[in-house]
């Protein structure tokens, strides 16, 4: 998919450039684009270094575990078909807390561990279970408290208040996450119905699930 | 509404940055050493995204400078104008679920073009910050455990991306416009 988009941008760009007689400008834009890419990344170093340093302190001080414990009831509500005290729940909580704290690097390994634990409960190893889909929905719309990278870029381009988007981002991300959970519930319900999974209905003996 | 959100925006970062080291200090964490240790990852992360960002910035620059971007945006402009939404952010809504580095490059491009404090700049920042790259997350998480049939996971991810996009646009309108 990314391959396609990248090729599309470059190919269509040059075709249109030829048609509009702008090949020279486009070639110039190519080099300035590459330069911007590098300068932006160097601009990101300062904030990323600082933020990940602070976040390592939070992790070592046990704040990650604290947030995880707070999320316990939420996680049990979102993952009703994972047995109580199953290790998957612990990893899911850590994954969510790391996302909340903006620890992308820590969130992914926890999420993968959670997936591996959920896979152990999965009767069909090729197909995702509803719990797996919920975990994905949580991660694709993950609540972000501090959008570090964006603040860094805004700083780089001399915003008068680089952090002013924290509030709007928080609201948008909360709406997206709530929507994800609702949509996930809807599909989960349909999945249960289609597969005649208890506790919704008991499958009649003639039609084996 | 605006004052509350701008207060949260202004105080969230200082509050976190005072609270975390102080809390850790009382929990007897060697604050400075831990900071330096974690900070090393930041450098690697920034360096790792250089190839992605350069690749995408080049493609987007070419696409924009050729006039192809204007053509594409021109198709949807009437619809967006009717709703008062700047149509420049539309490609970002399409890119965000597909490529993280690509949409970051696009956001950077918009911020550079229109300025970080313009409505478009703030909207792009909010869109980019509020959701994750659905396709990437799906690939990594399902790939790690060998799931081939994702069932409805992709649909849920993309639908919530759409809602996140609309929410980001609306919230920015309410707060900044």
């Amino acid at each position: 998919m990314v391959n396609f988009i990248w090729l599309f941008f470059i190919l269509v760009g040059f075709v249109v450039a030829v048609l509009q007689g702008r090949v020279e400008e486009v070639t110039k834009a190519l080099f300035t684009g590459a330069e911007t890419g590098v300068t932006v990344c160097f601009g990101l170093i300062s904030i990323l270094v600082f933020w990940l340093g602070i976040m390592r302190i939070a992790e070592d001080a046990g704040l990650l575990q604290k947030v995880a414990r707070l999320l316990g009831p939420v996680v049990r509500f979102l993952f009703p078909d994972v047995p109580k005290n199953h290790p998957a729940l612990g990893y899911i909580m850590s994954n969510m807390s790391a996302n909340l704290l903006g620890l992308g690097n820590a969130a992914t390994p926890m999420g993968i561990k959670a997936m591996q634990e959920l896979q152990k409960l999965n009767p069909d190893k090729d197909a995702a279970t509803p719990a797996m889909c919920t975990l994905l929905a949580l991660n694709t719309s993950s609540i972000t408290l501090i959008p570090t990278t964006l603040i860094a870029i805004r700083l780089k381009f001399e915003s008068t208040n680089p952090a002013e988007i924290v509030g709007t981002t928080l609201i948008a991300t909360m709406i997206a996450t709530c929507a994800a959970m609702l949509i996930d519930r809807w599909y989960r319900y349909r999945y249960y119905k289609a597969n005649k999974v208890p506790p919704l209905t008991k499958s009649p003996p003639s039609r084996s699930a | 509404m605006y004052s509350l959100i701008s207060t949260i925006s202004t105080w969230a970062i200082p509050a976190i940055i005072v609270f975390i080291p102080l809390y850790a200090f009382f929990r007897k964490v060697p604050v400075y050493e831990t900071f330096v240790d974690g900070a090393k990852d930041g450098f690697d992360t920034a360096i790792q995204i250089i190839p992605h960002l350069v690749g995408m910035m080049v493609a987007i620059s070419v696409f924009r400078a050729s006039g192809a971007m204007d053509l594409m945006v021109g198709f949807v402009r009437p619809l967006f104008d009717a709703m008062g939404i700047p149509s420049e952010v539309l490609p970002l809504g399409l890119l965000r679920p597909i490529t993280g580095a690509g949409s970051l490059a696009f956001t950077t491009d918009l911020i550079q073009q229109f300025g970080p404090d313009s409505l478009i700049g703030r909207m792009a920042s909010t869109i980019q910050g509020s959701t994750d790259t659905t396709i990437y997350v799906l690939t990594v998480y399902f790939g790690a455990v060998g799931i081939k049939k994702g069932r409805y996971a992709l649909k849920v991810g993309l639908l919530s991306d759409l809602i996140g996009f609309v929410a980001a646009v609306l919230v920015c309108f309410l707060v900044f416009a």
Side-chain angles (χ1 to χ4, degrees):
Chain A
M1 190 78 114
V2 185
N3 284 320
F4 173 76
I5 290 173
W6 196 68
L7 204 63
F8 174 83
F9 275 156
I10 290 186
L11 278 183
V12 174
F14 270 105
V15 170
V16 175
V18 169
L19 292 176
Q20 305 207 343
R22 287 199 204 168
V23 178
E24 231 170 282
E25 285 110 299
V26 169
T27 310
K28 218 196 238 162
L30 191 156
F31 291 112
T32 41
E35 204 186 316
T36 317
V38 175
T39 39
V40 165
C41 286
F42 271 82
L44 294 182
I45 293 177
S46 52
I47 293 261
L48 282 178
V49 164
F50 177 70
W51 193 250
L52 289 181
I54 292 285
M55 282 305 152
R56 177 67 63 84
I57 298 177
E59 209 179 337
D60 281 13
L63 280 168
L64 189 69
Q65 296 90 313
K66 264 232 156 82
V67 180
R69 224 170 299 140
L70 278 174
L71 290 174
V74 182
V75 170
R76 275 191 296 278
F77 170 75
L78 290 177
F79 295 87
D81 41 15
V82 177
K84 263 184 194 171
N85 301 323
H86 193 274
L89 292 178
Y91 286 124
I92 293 169
M93 286 182 234
S94 315
N95 170 254
M96 278 174 78
S97 345
N99 268 329
L100 266 171
L101 296 177
L103 290 163
N105 288 343
T108 310
M110 308 277 196
I112 289 173
K113 278 185 189 158
M115 273 291 171
Q116 287 165 342
E117 289 299 329
L118 291 177
Q119 181 75 322
K120 289 181 189 164
L121 298 167
N122 188 357
D124 175 2
K125 300 293 177 203
D126 279 347
T129 58
M132 288 174 161
C133 293
T134 308
L135 181 61
L136 267 178
L138 266 177
N139 273 282
T140 58
S141 62
S142 69
I143 289 193
T144 317
L145 284 186
I146 309 286
T148 319
T149 318
L150 271 312
I151 294 175
I153 290 177
R154 296 170 55 78
L155 205 65
K156 168 103 191 35
F157 288 103
E158 288 159 3
S159 166
T160 48
N161 184 2
E164 70 182 346
I165 48 132
V166 171
T168 51
T169 304
L170 191 62
I171 294 176
T173 195
M174 280 191 323
I175 294 174
T177 306
C178 290
M181 290 304 99
L182 284 173
I183 301 166
D184 177 67
R185 272 291 151 115
W186 159 248
Y187 277 110
R188 181 192 279 251
Y189 170 77
R190 295 212 333 195
Y191 169 83
Y192 282 154
K193 236 178 153 179
N195 289 279
K196 305 258 182 274
V197 176
L200 279 169
T201 42
K202 278 181 185 157
S203 53
S206 53
R207 274 188 281 164
S208 58
Chain B
M1 183 78 161
Y2 177 75
S3 64
L4 176 72
I5 290 168
S6 67
T7 311
I8 293 175
S9 299
T10 314
W11 287 100
I13 293 172
I16 288 172
I17 282 163
V18 171
F19 172 73
I20 290 173
L22 206 64
Y23 179 86
F25 181 75
F26 286 115
R27 295 287 304 265
K28 300 200 167 52
V29 173
V31 198
Y32 185 69
E33 280 91 335
T34 311
F35 173 84
V36 171
D37 204 38
K40 283 175 190 153
D41 290 346
F43 191 80
D44 294 338
T45 310
I47 297 301
Q48 270 167 23
I49 56 177
I50 288 183
H52 296 274
L53 216 56
V54 168
M56 275 298 171
M57 283 308 265
V58 166
I60 292 165
S61 301
V62 165
F63 197 68
R64 181 186 285 285
S66 70
M69 184 79 80
D70 295 334
L71 285 176
M72 196 174 106
V73 168
F75 279 116
V76 287
R77 174 151 292 157
L79 183 69
F80 273 61
D81 280 349
M83 290 183 284
I85 301 170
S87 47
E88 286 80 2
V89 297
L90 177 78
L92 183 58
L94 298 174
L95 275 175
R96 188 69 192 100
I98 298 163
T99 150
S103 58
L104 183 66
F106 197 85
T107 302
T108 310
D109 192 57
L110 286 179
I111 290 177
Q112 192 182 27
Q113 280 266 313
F114 298 95
D117 299 329
S118 63
L119 183 61
I120 292 176
R122 288 156 161 172
M123 228 174 233
S125 310
T126 305
I127 295 165
Q128 174 71 18
S130 59
T131 57
D132 207 336
T133 314
T134 300
I135 307 285
Y136 171 79
V137 173
L138 214 79
T139 314
V140 170
Y141 279 34
F142 280 165
V145 289
I147 293 288
K148 290 183 192 80
K149 281 181 273 177
R151 295 204 201 274
Y152 51 84
L154 182 65
K155 273 187 267 182
V156 176
L158 291 181
L159 278 172
S160 63
D161 285 337
L162 177 67
I163 292 173
F165 176 77
V166 174
V169 169
L170 288 179
V171 170
C172 282
F173 256 121
L174 286 175
V175 176
F176 296 125

